[in-house]
Amino acid sequence: MNSLIGTYECKVDAKGRVMLPVAMKKQLNPIIEKGFVIKRAVFQPCLELYPIDEWEKMMQKVGKLNRFKPKNNDFIRRFSAGVKPVELDSTGRLQIPKDLVAFAGINKNLVLSSAVNIIEIWDKDRYEKAINDATVDFAELAEEVMGNDDEDVS
């Protein structure tokens, strides 16, 4: 799968359903029929939507962990907490489970933000706060993460 592109503001209804924007649906079109997995994010108060193929790649990595190490078991349990398979309904809406809506603090307005091969689902206010309240200057972070002269990143 190619990387996803874009950040979109949407509305969620009282039942936790959100209509995917047309531009995002076009990018996902080749894989929509296979379905998705939705889960709590590890580092942020948001959700992650994995196309099923990307989820299976992640599970291959997780499946290689030695379950006889307590830390690995703890990680697997926490990583998979709240994981649910989801599909788009016949009108193109995604149903976000109530427990995950509560975890992410999603109210009426949300943001769908591409994160390479997955989609982050944020409450709009929390998303804006996370972007604006970055404790590290983004230029410094970019240099630290992407500025290694020893590797070719092109």
Side-chain angles (χ1 to χ4, degrees), residues 43-57:
F43 300 109
Q44 299 291 336
C46 69
L47 305 175
E48 297 172 338
L49 184 69
Y50 285 77
I52 199 70
D53 290 344
E54 296 299 323
W55 179 252
E56 288 173 359
K57 288 178 194 174

Side-chain angles (χ1 to χ4, degrees), residues 45-143:
C46 69
L47 305 175
E48 297 172 338
L49 184 69
Y50 285 77
I52 199 70
D53 290 344
E54 296 299 323
W55 179 252
E56 288 173 359
K57 288 178 194 174
M58 180 64 71
M59 288 298 94
Q60 286 177 358
K61 291 179 184 177
V62 171
K64 292 178 183 175
L65 295 174
N66 181 345
R67 301 282 315 246
F68 288 97
K69 292 184 177 180
K71 282 184 179 181
N72 291 352
N73 263 340
D74 290 345
F75 169 79
I76 292 167
R77 184 178 313 105
R78 290 179 181 162
F79 184 79
S80 60
V83 170
K84 294 184 176 59
V86 292
E87 296 178 353
L88 298 185
D89 68 12
S90 60
T91 62
R93 295 178 301 187
L94 177 71
Q95 173 77 49
I96 303 172
K98 288 187 185 295
D99 62 321
L100 296 179
V101 167
F103 168 82
I106 294 172
N107 292 306
K108 188 158 186 73
N109 298 310
L110 61 75
V111 172
L112 301 174
S113 180
S114 60
V116 186
N117 58 348
I118 66 170
I119 298 166
E120 291 182 340
I121 303 171
W122 287 83
D123 173 74
K124 184 180 181 217
D125 292 338
R126 286 186 175 195
Y127 178 77
E128 289 176 0
K129 183 170 176 24
I131 295 297
N132 293 333
D133 288 354
T135 57
V136 178
D137 178 44
F138 184 69
E140 291 176 17
L141 179 63
E143 180 181 3

Side-chain angles (χ1 to χ4, degrees), residues 136-153:
V136 178
D137 178 44
F138 184 69
E140 291 176 17
L141 179 63
E143 180 181 3
E144 184 178 331
V145 172
M146 300 297 290
N148 187 349
D149 291 336
D150 297 334
E151 293 182 26
D152 181 20
V153 293

